[in-house]
Amino acid sequence: MTPKQLTQKILKKDRLSLARFITLLENRDTKAIEALGDLYPKTGKAIRIGITGPQGVGKSSLLNQLIKEVTKQKKKVGVLAIDPSSALHGGAFLGDRIRMQSHTLNKNVFIRSMATRHNHKGLSSALHDAMTALDAFGCDVIFIETIGIGQDEIAISQLTDLSMLVLSPDFGDKFQALKSGLTETCDLLVVNKIDLPKSKQALATLKEMTYLPVLGVSSKKGTQISVLYKKIIQQYDALKKSKVLDFRRTNQQKAAIREKLEETLLSNFNQFWKDKKIQLEIDRLLQKKKNPNQITKKLSTKL
Amino acid sequence: MQAKKIKALIAKPGLDGHDRGAIAVSQALRDAGMEVLYTGIRQTPQHIVETAIQEDVDVLGLSCLSGAHMSLFKEVTSLLKKNKVKGLLIFAGGIIPDDDIPKIKKMGIKQVFPPGSPLSEIVSFIQKSAQKK
Amino acid sequence: MTSKPGIYPYTRGIHKEMYRQRLWTMRQYSGYGSAKETNHRFHYLLKQGQTGLSTAFDLPTQLGFDSNQTEAKNEVGRVGVAISHIKDMEALLHNIPLDKVSLSMTINAPAAILFAMVLAIAKKRKIPWSKLRGTVQNDILKEYLARGTYIFPAKESLRLATDLIEFSVKKVPNWNPISVSGYHIREAGATAAQELALTLAHAQTTLDDCLKRKLSIDQFASKISFFFSVDNNFFEEISKFRTARKLWAEILKKKYRAKQKKSQQLRFHAQTSGASLTAQQPENNLVRVTYQALAAVLGGAQSLHTNAMDEALALPSEESAKLALRTQQIISSESGIPAVADPLGGSEFLEQKTKQLEKEVLQILKKIDQAGGTLAALESGLSRRLIEDSFLKTQQKIECQEKKIVGVNCYKESDSKFKVPSSTFFKQLEREQSKQVKQVKSKRNHKKIETLLKKLEDKASQSTNLMPLLIELVEKGATVGEICATLKTVWGEYAG
C-alpha cells in the first residue's frame, strides 16, 4: 500500500494502516512525509500531553492509570512511548508498553513505542508527525512519554499543549540538578508513589521549591489519579480560554519546523563531511601544513 | 531517509512463567541493533496479535514451555491472518515435540528453536529472514 | 578446621551423625494429568522404595483457575496434576497413608487452599493433624522474581502465606508450612551466591512477617525449610550448602535471638539442576544428575529429588523416573558415603571456597538492604536484573566456549538430539476435568457456598487468619477458582 492509500485508511480509523504509517515516518520515508499533507487538515482536536521524568519514577504506571481515566469517559487515547536507542549498537528495548498492556484490547486505545534512533534531542524525529497521524486518526487525548534525561524535557514541552514532570518522593538531588531548566518549561509537577513512607515531607519540600502546581499521586494504589486528570483538563481549558493554547500550538509548529530544518541541515552536513575533498583538506592536518583553525575557516565558506 | 530497523516482539502465550529464555532472546536481539518489545508472561493470543499490529513489528517470537503451544500458536497465526497482518516473520521457542514441528511450520511459523539454541543462531536467522519495512 | 557436624553454626551439617542416623528422604517430584493418574504414579514410586511424595500441580491450579475456566484452556493437567476441588484431592490421596508418608506440594499463590484440602481430608479420615508430615512450598516471593505463578499483589499474598504458617505452627506441628526456594531463582540464571543471598533475604521476610503475628521466634523458626538447586560446579555447590547453614544459624542466633538449636538449623530439600540438562546426547544427563546428587549428599541435604534425564524436556517416562530414583539408591546403598558425617570436612579447598562464597552472599544481602529491603528490591527490579545479567553472562560464556558443556559446545555429535515426545491425551482430560467441576458444583449447597464466599470477602479485608474459613469452604465443595476469584475482588492482582 502506498503512503497516500495509508492516510486514506487512517482517516477511516484503520489501526493497521496507522501503525504502518508511523513506521514509515520513523524511517523518515519521503513519500510518507509528503502524504502527511492529507492528514494535516484533519488535526487540532487532540489534547497533546507530555509526561517526562527520571527513570524509575513510574511514568508508565501513571500513564496506565491516566488511560483508565480518559477511557472511562469514552474518549479515544493515543500513546507514544519513547525509549532510548543504544549509542553503542543502535538497538533499543521498548519497555514502557508492558505497564500499559491491560489496555491493549481496548479499541479506544492505541499505544505505540518508538526508539530515539539518535535523535539529537533524545526524542524521536518522527514524534511530531506521529502525533499528527494520531490526531487525524481521531484521538481525543495524546500522551507522549519520554525518558527524562534533562534535555528532552525542554524539547517535549515545545511539542505538546502541556507537559508534566513526574518525580518520586526520593527525588532529592535529582530535582536540584534539573530545577533551573524545568520550572520554565513544564506545567505541572506530579509526585508519584505517595504510598511510600516520607512522601508527605517530600511533597512539602517540593511545594516550597517551586511556584508550579504540585500534586501527589500513587499509580500503584490508584490514589489521586482522577484529581490529576481533572487538573490537566482544567489547565487545558484555561490555556484555551486565555488563547495561550493558540500561541503554544503555533510554537509547536515552529518548533517542529525548526527541528526538521535542523535535521536536514545535520543530514546535509553529514553528507558534506563525508565528501572526499573535505577529507583531503583535513588530511593536511596530519602533515602539519595547516592548523585546525585555518582549516575550519576555509571549510566554513563551503558550508 | 533514515536507516530502517528491525523491530521485534517477543511474546509469551500460555500460563507458564519461565521467561528466562524469552528475556535472553530479547536482550540478544537488542544488542544486535534491533528494536525489541517483550510482552511479559501469560499473554493471550489476542493480546499478542493486537500488540504486533499497533507496534507494526517485523518479527514475532513466541515462547511457550507449558506444552500448550499447538493450540496457542494456531490461535496467534489465525488471528494474524484474520487481521490481514502480512510480511511478519514468526519464530518459536520452547519445549516443542519433534512431531509438532512440521505442523507448526505449516501454520506459517518459519523456525522453531529448542531450549539451548545458541542466541547467535537466533540473531543471524532473524537478520537473514526478516523483511524490514 | 570448622567445628564438628551438629554443632553451631552447623557449617558441616545439622546433625552429629548425619546419614548414619537417618538417611535423606528420597522425594521425586511427580504429577501430571488427572488426580487418579498421579495417584497411580505415587503408589508406583512408593513401591519402588521412594520414601516421600512430592506433588506437581498444573498451571491452572497454580494460578487459581478451575479446569473448566477459559484461562485454563489447553493447560489442564500438562505440567502437573489438576486439582479444582476436594474431590480431586481425595482422588490424589486415595489410599495414601497420610500419617505415615510425608507429602510435599509445590504450590504457592493458592497454597493455603490446597493445604486446607489436605487438612479437611485428614479430618474426614480421622487422622489427627499432629500426625501429618509434609511441606507446602508457599513461597510467593520467588514467584514474582523467577517462577511466575503469582496471583495477588505481594503484600496480600504474603499475608495469606503467613496465615498458613501461623495456623500450621499452632495446629499442624509436624508440617513444614513454607519451603523458601532458591531453586527457581537459580534455574532462572542466578549464580550460586545470588541463589543463596536472595533465598536468605526472602526467608527473613517470612521471619519478620511471623514475628508480627506475635509468634515467638523459637515457636516457628524451626518450621521453615529450604529448597536449593544442585548445579554442575561440584565444590561450589557443596560450599553453598555449608554457607547456607552457617549464615542461617548466625542470622537466627544473632539477629533474631533464637535460643533453641532447632531454630538455628537450616534444613533443606535439594533438586538436581534442570537447567544443566541438555537435549543433545541426553544420556549424558544421567552422569550430570549422578554427581549433582552426590554434591547434595556431601552437602548434607535432608531430602533430594534427582531429575530424570528427560525431565527438562518432557514429562519423565516411567522408566527414566525410576532410573532417577535408582541413582539415589545407588549412592545411599553402594557408595559408602552415608557412613561418614561430612566426609569432606577439613578440605582446605572447600573451606576456602565456603569463605569466599559467604563473602559474596553477604555483599549481595547488603546491596538488597541498601535498596530498601527485599520488597523494594523486588519492586524496583533490582533482584530480577541481578539474575538476568548472570544468565546472559553465562549464555555468552557458553557461546564463546569459555564455559564448556559436553555435547553442546564441545564433543558434539551431529545426530544425537533428544526427541521430545508429543503428548496428545490432554484434550480428553480437559473435557473430563471440566465435567467433574460442573458436577461437583451442581451437587453442593449453593446458599451455603455463597454465604461462605461472602464471608471470605469480608475477612479478606480484615486481618483475621483465613485458614479456618478456607477449610470450611473446601469441605463444602468450594473450588480453587471460586476462592481465588473472591480474593481477587478484594485484593486485586499482581501487576508484574
Side-chain angles (χ1 to χ4, degrees):
Chain A
M1 223 179 289
T2 65
K4 200 126 183 113
Q5 287 168 315
L6 287 175
T7 53
Q8 291 318 304
K9 295 198 88 171
I10 289 172
L11 294 173
K12 287 179 190 143
K13 319 286 178 227
D14 181 55
R15 288 165 10 265
L16 204 62
S17 303
L18 173 65
R20 180 62 44 90
F21 192 68
I22 294 177
T23 305
L24 294 176
L25 293 174
E26 282 189 283
N27 294 341
R28 306 312 289 145
D29 180 283
T30 35
K31 282 200 180 120
I33 293 169
E34 233 166 77
L36 268 172
D38 298 345
L39 297 182
Y40 197 73
K42 313 277 179 188
T43 60
K45 195 183 77 170
I47 308 177
R48 303 174 179 201
I49 304 163
I51 298 183
T52 184
Q55 210 174 9
V57 297
K59 293 184 293 294
S60 307
S61 308
L62 176 63
L63 193 41
N64 182 45
Q65 293 282 3
L66 277 172
I67 297 170
K68 228 184 263 173
E69 282 301 316
V70 187
T71 49
K72 256 190 223 161
Q73 308 179 353
K74 304 258 176 294
K75 284 186 176 162
K76 252 187 154 168
V77 188
V79 175
L80 298 172
I82 300 175
D83 277 306
S85 299
S86 155
L88 195 66
H89 47 62
F93 194 72
L94 308 170
D96 301 323
R97 189 188 183 98
I98 201 165
R99 305 254 163 235
M100 302 176 234
Q101 59 187 357
S102 60
H103 300 293
T104 297
L105 294 182
N106 185 337
K107 292 279 180 258
N108 283 326
V109 181
F110 187 97
I111 302 169
R112 178 60 178 250
S113 317
M114 296 164 106
T116 56
R117 297 195 185 174
H118 308 316
N119 171 277
H120 62 292
K121 282 186 180 151
L123 296 171
S124 163
S125 303
L127 185 58
H128 184 259
D129 293 341
M131 280 193 275
T132 304
L134 283 173
D135 197 336
F137 178 69
C139 290
D140 302 294
V141 179
I142 300 171
F143 289 110
I144 316 291
E145 182 191 340
T146 66
I147 19 122
I149 49 169
Q151 206 181 33
D152 62 321
E153 275 140 27
I154 299 167
I156 195 66
S157 70
Q158 289 170 348
L159 287 174
T160 50
D161 296 337
L162 54 101
S163 63
M164 55 182 146
L165 176 73
V166 187
L167 297 166
S168 58
D170 54 356
F171 55 86
D173 302 339
K174 275 183 225 156
F175 184 71
Q176 283 294 0
L178 294 171
K179 199 182 165 198
S180 53
L182 78 241
T183 36
E184 299 139 38
T185 60
C186 78
D187 303 276
L188 187 60
L189 285 180
V190 180
V191 178
N192 194 9
K193 305 188 187 178
I194 51 156
D195 49 306
L196 291 181
K198 286 189 190 164
S199 51
K200 267 198 188 132
Q201 203 183 330
L203 264 175
T205 319
L206 193 57
K207 276 179 183 159
E208 262 176 40
M209 285 162 76
T210 175
Y211 57 84
L212 284 172
V214 178
L215 189 69
V217 303
S218 164
S219 42
K220 191 176 160 194
K221 307 264 172 199
T223 29
Q224 292 286 91
I225 302 291
S226 53
V227 176
L228 171 61
Y229 182 58
K230 263 188 214 133
K231 198 151 200 151
I232 292 171
I233 296 302
Q234 263 171 18
Q235 282 207 5
Y236 177 79
D237 288 341
L239 288 172
K240 206 169 165 181
K241 218 171 151 192
S242 66
K243 305 275 181 216
V244 176
L245 186 68
D246 295 335
F247 174 73
R248 284 196 179 178
R249 287 206 164 162
T250 316
N251 275 345
Q252 283 170 29
Q253 308 298 355
K254 265 194 208 162
I257 293 167
R258 188 193 162 106
E259 163 94 25
K260 281 169 192 167
L261 285 175
E262 277 176 5
E263 284 212 342
T264 315
L265 276 176
L266 201 62
S267 130
N268 290 345
F269 173 76
N270 285 333
Q271 283 302 321
F272 164 81
W273 187 249
K274 277 186 211 146
D275 195 299
K276 265 193 191 134
K277 277 184 226 153
I278 306 295
Q279 288 306 319
L280 270 178
E281 200 73 50
I282 292 165
D283 284 344
R284 292 196 184 174
L285 255 180
L286 296 174
Q287 298 147 15
K288 300 238 172 190
K289 283 182 186 153
K290 277 187 177 173
N291 71 39
N293 285 331
Q294 287 169 313
I295 296 177
T296 310
K297 196 175 175 193
K298 188 171 171 199
L299 290 183
S300 67
T301 59
K302 295 187 185 168
L303 262 175
Chain B
M1 250 176 65
Q2 274 197 3
K4 293 176 182 179
K5 286 262 175 200
I6 297 177
K7 190 170 179 182
L9 173 65
I10 303 299
K12 268 197 73 63
L15 297 182
D16 79 272
H18 301 287
D19 60 355
R20 177 187 77 180
I23 289 172
V25 169
S26 306
Q27 285 174 330
L29 298 187
R30 180 203 56 193
D31 293 348
M34 299 178 205
E35 293 174 356
V36 186
L37 288 130
Y38 168 54
T39 59
I41 58 173
R42 291 193 229 157
Q43 294 302 307
T44 63
Q46 288 79 3
H47 246 100
I48 293 166
V49 169
E50 186 58 35
T51 304
I53 289 174
Q54 293 184 13
E55 296 291 347
D56 191 33
V57 293
D58 309 295
V59 180
L60 173 61
L62 297 168
S63 158
C64 179
L65 284 96
S66 72
H69 50 271
M70 285 306 274
S71 350
L72 290 166
F73 291 179
K74 182 81 211 146
E75 249 180 275
V76 170
T77 49
S78 321
L79 275 171
L80 284 169
K81 248 177 233 143
K82 202 179 134 202
N83 281 282
K84 301 198 174 75
V85 179
K86 286 178 199 134
L88 189 59
L89 172 71
I90 314 173
F91 71 99
I95 300 171
I96 314 275
D98 293 72
D99 292 347
D100 291 349
I101 293 175
K103 291 179 223 158
I104 288 176
K105 289 196 169 165
K106 233 181 219 157
M107 296 176 196
I109 294 174
K110 253 291 181 36
Q111 190 62 271
V112 178
F113 294 97
S117 305
L119 292 171
S120 52
E121 197 181 295
I122 300 173
V123 170
S124 63
F125 161 78
I126 292 172
Q127 280 168 337
K128 239 187 289 163
S129 327
Q131 303 172 20
K132 290 185 219 173
K133 279 172 281 226
Chain C
M1 192 167 126
T2 333
S3 67
K4 291 198 164 75
I7 291 171
Y8 178 88
Y10 309 104
T11 312
R12 297 186 57 200
I14 55 172
H15 302 301
K16 189 172 160 227
E17 302 287 332
M18 284 307 289
Y19 304 131
R20 276 196 295 235
Q21 201 170 46
R22 187 180 166 188
L23 213 57
W24 66 90
T25 306
M26 299 180 191
R27 198 192 289 283
Q28 301 295 92
Y29 182 59
S30 61
Y32 65 96
S34 68
K36 206 171 147 191
E37 280 165 298
T38 305
N39 179 265
H40 283 313
R41 179 66 73 98
F42 278 178
H43 283 289
Y44 170 82
L45 285 166
L46 289 174
K47 218 170 98 197
Q48 297 300 323
Q50 177 162 316
T51 46
L53 295 173
S54 175
T55 322
F57 295 92
D58 72 354
L59 287 164
T61 308
Q62 292 186 49
L63 293 166
F65 299 119
D66 293 335
S67 296
N68 65 336
Q69 284 182 259
T70 40
E71 289 89 344
K73 204 176 134 204
N74 306 319
E75 308 266 13
V76 173
R78 277 196 190 268
V79 304
V81 58
I83 303 285
S84 304
H85 43 72
I86 198 160
K87 293 270 175 260
D88 283 337
M89 191 61 108
E90 274 170 1
L92 178 74
L93 300 177
H94 182 68
N95 278 339
I96 303 284
L98 289 174
D99 47 351
K100 297 196 176 70
V101 177
S102 80
L103 175 71
S104 161
M105 299 194 287
T106 301
I107 192 80
N108 295 280
I113 305 166
L114 280 290
F115 184 50
M117 287 183 187
V118 174
L119 296 180
I121 288 168
K123 198 170 128 195
K124 199 172 157 194
R125 292 188 192 168
K126 302 212 165 48
I127 299 166
W129 286 350
S130 60
K131 289 216 164 161
L132 294 177
R133 284 187 305 121
T135 308
V136 270
Q137 199 161 70
N138 195 28
D139 169 27
I140 198 67
L141 288 170
K142 61 93 174 54
E143 296 294 333
Y144 301 121
L145 195 54
R147 194 165 169 269
T149 57
Y150 44 74
I151 304 174
F152 315 112
K155 207 180 116 217
E156 286 78 6
S157 214
L158 280 169
R159 176 259 173 111
L160 188 59
T162 316
D163 278 0
L164 190 165
I165 298 171
E166 186 188 21
F167 187 85
S168 173
V169 165
K170 289 177 178 163
K171 310 260 170 148
V172 201
N174 289 311
W175 194 273
N176 298 307
I178 185 169
S179 169
V180 191
S181 309
Y183 187 84
H184 317 89
I185 295 172
R186 186 65 177 278
E187 289 280 294
T191 63
Q194 289 167 341
E195 176 192 359
L196 194 46
L198 288 163
T199 311
L200 289 175
H202 290 176
Q204 290 179 71
T205 307
T206 301
L207 292 179
D208 296 337
D209 286 348
C210 288
L211 286 172
K212 282 183 205 139
R213 299 289 174 103
K214 306 266 182 279
L215 292 168
S216 75
I217 189 81
D218 283 315
Q219 214 178 336
F220 67 89
S222 64
K223 309 282 182 247
I224 295 175
S225 65
F226 287 81
F227 174 23
F228 292 115
S229 161
V230 211
D231 214 299
N232 280 338
N233 192 328
F234 192 69
F235 284 101
E236 183 173 67
E237 293 303 290
I238 299 170
S239 329
K240 183 179 79 187
F241 301 131
R242 297 167 80 92
T243 311
R245 275 190 298 267
K246 176 167 186 276
L247 288 175
W248 185 243
E250 288 174 354
I251 289 169
L252 263 295
K253 189 173 180 175
K254 292 176 186 160
K255 187 168 161 194
Y256 289 92
R257 313 234 166 257
K259 302 226 160 47
Q260 286 175 19
K261 276 186 176 177
K262 275 200 136 189
S263 308
Q264 302 164 2
Q265 293 170 340
L266 178 141
R267 294 170 301 128
F268 72 98
H269 171 71
Q271 179 172 343
T272 59
S273 156
S276 70
L277 303 185
T278 64
Q280 297 88 344
Q281 306 175 30
E283 298 80 8
N284 294 350
N285 291 333
L286 268 178
V287 183
R288 293 188 181 103
V289 169
T290 305
Y291 81 83
Q292 288 166 358
L294 203 59
V297 170
L298 289 167
Q302 274 60 54
S303 71
L304 177 61
H305 167 110
T306 32
N307 281 336
M309 60 184 234
D310 49 0
E311 187 138 348
L313 300 158
L315 281 169
S317 65
E318 202 157 88
E319 270 309 296
S320 70
K322 186 167 76 182
L323 203 49
L325 176 61
R326 294 283 181 259
T327 309
Q328 293 198 44
Q329 289 164 337
I330 289 169
I331 295 175
S332 76
S333 318
E334 300 180 16
S335 73
I337 294 168
V340 194
D342 191 33
L344 290 182
S347 150
E348 205 175 303
F349 175 63
L350 197 65
E351 306 278 340
Q352 274 306 323
K353 193 108 191 141
T354 308
K355 269 193 198 130
Q356 185 198 328
L357 197 61
E358 182 183 339
K359 217 169 112 189
E360 266 180 73
V361 172
L362 289 173
Q363 268 167 4
I364 302 169
L365 280 171
K366 202 170 151 198
K367 210 168 168 181
I368 294 171
D369 224 30
Q370 282 166 346
T374 304
L375 284 178
L378 180 77
E379 214 162 277
S380 71
L382 168 80
S383 316
R384 210 178 146 101
R385 265 197 308 281
L386 283 177
I387 303 175
E388 279 166 18
D389 289 349
S390 300
F391 177 67
L392 205 66
K393 258 185 220 153
T394 312
Q395 211 58 23
Q396 282 159 352
K397 275 187 192 164
I398 293 170
E399 289 198 16
C400 66
Q401 293 185 345
E402 194 184 320
K403 183 181 165 83
K404 291 209 162 105
I405 297 176
V406 174
V408 174
N409 63 6
C410 57
Y411 310 107
K412 290 197 269 193
E413 288 168 38
S414 53
D415 194 31
S416 68
K417 241 179 151 63
F418 177 74
K419 299 269 182 288
V420 182
S422 62
S423 32
T424 47
F425 61 95
F426 293 104
K427 281 250 145 65
Q428 167 120 13
L429 172 73
E430 199 169 306
R431 274 197 295 274
E432 279 165 21
Q433 281 291 123
S434 300
K435 218 166 82 190
Q436 274 177 29
V437 176
K438 280 176 205 151
Q439 253 172 20
V440 166
K441 280 191 176 180
S442 69
K443 281 183 188 156
R444 43 180 211 188
N445 181 341
H446 293 291
K447 273 250 166 71
K448 183 78 195 162
I449 296 283
E450 243 169 68
T451 324
L452 286 174
L453 286 174
K454 183 77 197 65
K455 200 167 159 195
L456 179 68
E457 204 179 316
D458 295 341
K459 292 226 164 154
S461 52
Q462 302 160 6
S463 61
T464 39
N465 194 309
L466 294 177
M467 279 309 295
L469 181 56
L470 289 176
I471 295 170
E472 200 184 345
L473 269 160
V474 297
E475 275 176 337
K476 297 283 183 304
T479 65
V480 173
E482 288 170 323
I483 295 173
C484 287
T486 305
L487 292 174
K488 271 187 222 169
T489 59
V490 189
W491 293 343
E493 291 180 63
Y494 182 70

